[in-house]
Structure formats: C-alpha cells, structure tokens
Amino acid sequence: MFGPLKETIALLSTYGDEMPEEIHLQLQELPERWDGTKKLALRAKQNAAPLQASEVNIIHKKCQ
C-alpha cells in the first residue's frame, strides 16, 4: 500500500531532491500504524454492532 510513496521518494532522490531522514523513518512506521488503525476500527465496529442491532429492533417495533 505504501509502495507508491516509496517509489515517489526514490524518483525524487534520482533528481537530487532528498527527503529529510524524518520522512524515511515515518515511512517505515506507517505500515505498522496503519495496521493498528485498521484493528481499532474493527474493534469499534464490533462494539457498535449490538447497539445498531438494538436500534434496528426498536425501529421495527415502531413501524409495526
């Protein structure tokens, strides 16, 4: 997923435009942080699912 960013940075460096070391470090950390964000979103979705189901039941009862 972050391959295009790495390729862009490599292309820029061939033209003499060097990125700060901080950018390279962040690019190394991004995949791990992205995985953590995806796991957090999945947990939030799982926690919200029972609440959503409860609301669906309430709406169905009101419609009847």
Side-chain angles (χ1 to χ4, degrees):
M1 176 176 202
F2 297 99
L5 286 173
K6 291 178 182 180
E7 292 172 3
T8 302
I9 290 173
L11 179 65
L12 288 172
S13 67
T14 61
Y15 288 104
D17 192 8
E18 293 296 326
M19 295 291 151
E21 186 62 29
E22 179 181 322
I23 299 295
H24 294 286
L25 293 175
Q26 287 177 347
L27 194 56
Q28 290 175 356
E29 294 174 1
L30 275 176
E32 293 174 17
R33 294 179 75 183
W34 180 246
D35 286 339
T37 301
K38 289 191 298 186
K39 288 178 185 177
L40 179 63
L42 181 61
R43 274 187 268 143
K45 184 178 178 180
Q46 289 172 343
N47 289 340
L51 299 173
Q52 288 176 331
S54 175
E55 287 296 318
V56 167
N57 288 334
I58 291 170
I59 292 171
H60 279 292
K61 287 178 183 177
K62 286 182 180 181
C63 289
Q64 293 174 356

